């Protein structure tokens, strides 16, 4: 009798946890589809190859985007992949039809090839955009 009660309890708990997880999964899928369809930022270039740059000379790379949506876009965060890449960006809301920029300044301290990223978070997209800069320090 005790074994039957424990089995019934285990079955009831597993059914409760399954039914609680199922709606969360479907909500997450719907949210991703809606956010992807509503993307309103068009980047001029997502990867910039600066070629050869001299050692010891910081190199500024400018990424431009246009707001193609119907509402203003705000850049909420910009983060370089390492301490060797400083960032700056447009702080004001970017109105529909207008363009803005994100600047990444790479400190070319070490010789050799490099590939760095800049992660940009905006109010228009649920997933941050990862921009790439690459080149060779001579």
């Amino acid at each position: 009798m005790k074994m039957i009660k424990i089995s019934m309890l285990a079955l009831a708990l597993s059914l409760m946890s399954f039914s609680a997880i199922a709606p969360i999964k479907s909500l997450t899928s719907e949210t991703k589809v809606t956010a992807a369809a509503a993307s309103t930022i068009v980047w001029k270039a997502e990867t910039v190859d600066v070629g050869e740059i001299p050692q010891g000379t910081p190199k500024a790379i400018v990424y431009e985007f246009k707001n193609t949506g119907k509402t203003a876009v705000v850049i909420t965060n910009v983060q370089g992949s390492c301490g060797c890449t400083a960032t700056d960006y447009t702080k004001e809301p970017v109105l529909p039809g207008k363009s803005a920029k994100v600047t990444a300044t790479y400190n070319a301290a070490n010789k050799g090839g490099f590939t760095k990223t800049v992660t940009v978070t905006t109010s228009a997209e649920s997933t941050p955009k990862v921009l790439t800069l690459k080149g060779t320090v001579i």
Side-chain angles (χ1 to χ4, degrees):
M1 185 68 175
K2 208 177 215 186
M3 186 59 123
I4 293 173
K5 287 181 182 180
I6 292 173
S7 297
M8 293 299 287
L9 179 62
L11 178 63
L13 288 174
S14 66
L15 288 175
M16 287 175 32
S17 65
F18 178 77
S19 65
I21 292 172
I24 293 172
K25 285 183 180 177
S26 65
L27 176 62
T28 304
S29 299
E30 291 171 18
T31 304
K32 287 181 183 177
V33 170
T34 304
S39 181
T40 61
I41 293 178
V42 177
W43 291 91
K44 189 172 182 179
E46 295 179 23
T47 300
V48 175
D49 187 340
V50 297
E52 294 183 342
I53 58 175
Q55 184 179 16
T57 305
K59 176 69 176 174
I61 297 93
V62 178
Y63 299 92
E64 293 183 54
F65 72 87
K66 183 173 185 176
N67 178 359
T68 59
K70 297 182 181 187
T71 60
V73 172
V74 177
I75 299 173
T76 56
N77 190 33
V78 177
Q79 182 70 47
S81 59
C82 67
C84 59
T85 307
T87 59
D88 191 24
Y89 57 94
T90 303
K91 308 293 191 283
E92 301 80 28
V94 182
L95 299 176
K98 300 295 180 183
S99 295
K101 63 182 180 177
V102 172
T103 303
T105 304
Y106 175 68
N107 180 9
N110 299 319
K111 286 186 178 184
F114 66 90
T115 300
K116 302 297 176 188
T117 60
V118 176
T119 304
V120 181
T121 307
T122 68
S123 62
E125 297 176 330
S126 61
T127 304
K129 174 61 74 179
V130 178
L131 307 172
T132 304
L133 58 124
K134 59 184 177 178
T136 304
V137 177
I138 54 173

